[in-house]
Amino acid sequence: MIAPAAGTAYDTPMNAKEPIHIVGGGLAGSEAAWQIASAGHPVVIHEMRPVRKTAAHETDNLAELVCSNSFRSDDAEYNAVGLLHEELRRCNSLIMRAADGAKVPAGSALAVDRNLFSETVQAALMDHPLVSLEREEIAGLPPAEWKSVIVATGPLTSEPLSKAVLEATGEDGLSFFDAIAPIVYKESIDFDIAWFQSRYDKPGPGGGTADYINCPMTETEYNAFLDALDAAEKTEFHGWEKDTPYFEACLPIEVMAERGRETLRFGPMKPVGLTNPHTGEQAHAVVQLRQDNTLGTLYNIVGFQTKLKHGAQKDVFRMIPGLQNAEFARLGGIHRNTFINSPRLLDDQLRLKVRPNLRFAGQVTGVEGYVESTAVGLIAGRLALAEEMGETLAPPPDVTALGALHRHITGGANAETFQPMNVNFGLFPLAEGIFRGRGKKMAKKKAKSDRALAALADWLGEPTEETGTVSDTAEQTGA
């Protein structure tokens, strides 16, 4: 089942079919709406902003990005996230189309201008004749008369809806903290100290090898920074929040520092692959900044999610050489994320077992990341659409990135220890074939990517070109 391209004309009036309702206008909800409407079925998006604001959003736009402007690696051959990008593109993803159109330099990653991205998504949906938007909070379970509903409320699901879902399922709440990195005005960065360079001069999608701003630290400066980070005033949690775990892939900078004085040097502040042109040497530690908007006026500090109070952030982060006069367009913050125990609660159609008219999509299902959220939104939209047409659509094959994520949240993960997960090749079935030699690790990844795209084409009902067998791929890469 392939959704028609954007711009398809529809003769069926909006009220001739009962709409599918989508609660939440983030990336997952927006993608689900696009998939449904593009195939000729009406959809209603229910978005609570601005009627009710969240702790992280700043605008009322659909698909607003809050934690980062990065969609991470765009390498479709050797990186699971890049493969997921490509699969989404081949599935007529609105989110990926908007991301490609709002791209800013970020080495081999796909990063976007936040405002242009969300404006593009919102405009596409609002211009579609089969999409309507209701600005309202669904404070509890959706009305029983709504035949088909996709709950895509994200990690900031409102308390009344969260409570209603938990009561209906008999589950305890699952949650973790997620932190936001600060954004700096480029003009306030001192380039007598800082410089442009991508790690190892690796070219990005646009061919550039200098997509990041780098701020070097000596060992003395690094140790002073750690001491200040440790002593700085931090956000205090409420009693009910204190036992909530962080998501390991998005730890606050000060939490990472607490794990050892070398942790940051082997994490977001690693100096390898970078040479300071001012000295010709490698620094002891390096802070990188990545472009945050198309104009190139804003840069976010990579990996510097934080729970420091705002005044402390300015004092501590201005200790970074090159940022001593930094002006901040946005300071970091922290918010509580919520997700359900999907392996226990959802069936393979992403339906809530105790209320099959409710599907769940996006980060509330326990996937982590913009692209992963979008992927589950796409799957939920297509599954809901097929059901409305009286059909049963099989989920994406397990060997695809889409299918690997789907399987993880619908039973592949252990419900007793379920935690949020980014897409990774560890979620895929093993690649067939014999892989030997120094290149075997890369060959396995390439084999999984080739297999995934072929399987996706079959799922979409598309003709495929011969891409060679797995053994051929291994041979070609020197495995």
Side-chain angles (χ1 to χ4, degrees), residues 23-252:
V23 183
L27 275 72
S30 296
E31 186 62 56
W34 180 256
Q35 295 293 319
I36 294 165
S38 293
H41 196 93
V43 62
V44 179
I45 302 172
H46 303 266
E47 169 54 49
M48 71 178 186
R49 293 177 294 122
V51 175
R52 179 168 179 175
K53 296 185 179 296
T54 75
H57 291 86
E58 295 184 346
T59 76
D60 301 333
N61 289 343
L62 299 178
E64 180 185 342
L65 305 180
V66 296
C67 180
S68 168
N69 72 328
S70 177
F71 283 63
R72 312 193 321 275
S73 174
D74 203 35
D75 180 354
E77 293 186 317
Y78 301 105
N79 188 287
V81 176
L83 173 61
L84 187 55
H85 288 180
E86 182 59 23
E87 290 184 12
L88 288 168
R89 290 182 179 111
R90 296 188 184 196
C91 290
N92 183 37
S93 167
L94 171 62
I95 295 301
M96 288 308 301
R97 192 181 80 185
D100 289 335
K103 183 166 54 179
V104 298
S108 58
L110 172 60
V112 303
D113 180 311
R114 295 170 192 266
N115 292 332
L116 178 59
F117 168 80
S118 61
E119 289 165 1
T120 300
V121 173
Q122 179 157 298
L125 289 169
M126 294 300 90
D127 288 345
H128 200 291
L130 296 181
V131 177
S132 64
L133 174 63
E134 299 289 339
R135 297 282 187 176
E136 60 181 356
E137 179 185 3
I138 306 301
L141 291 180
E145 59 267 24
W146 290 1
K147 180 182 175 184
S148 181
V149 183
I150 297 173
V151 179
T153 46
L156 299 178
T157 300
S158 67
E159 186 175 349
L161 178 55
S162 296
K163 184 177 179 181
V165 171
L166 294 174
E167 288 177 350
T169 59
E171 286 283 310
D172 293 329
L174 291 175
S175 57
F176 61 97
F177 280 112
D178 201 3
I180 300 172
I183 295 175
V184 175
Y185 289 103
K186 178 188 174 184
E187 63 182 8
S188 69
I189 299 172
D190 184 352
F191 285 96
D192 288 335
I193 297 173
W195 76 95
F196 278 96
Q197 184 185 6
S198 297
R199 200 176 302 280
Y200 298 110
D201 298 313
K202 187 175 181 180
T209 59
D211 291 340
Y212 290 80
I213 295 174
N214 301 278
C215 297
M217 280 188 178
T218 64
E219 184 174 3
T220 299
E221 290 167 337
Y222 176 76
N223 285 322
F225 175 77
L226 291 184
D227 291 340
L229 198 60
D230 178 63
E233 192 174 11
K234 302 170 181 68
T235 301
E236 294 294 330
F237 298 143
H238 300 290
W240 54 267
E241 297 175 320
K242 290 184 178 178
D243 293 328
T244 303
Y246 292 105
F247 177 53
E248 285 292 317
C250 201
L251 289 172

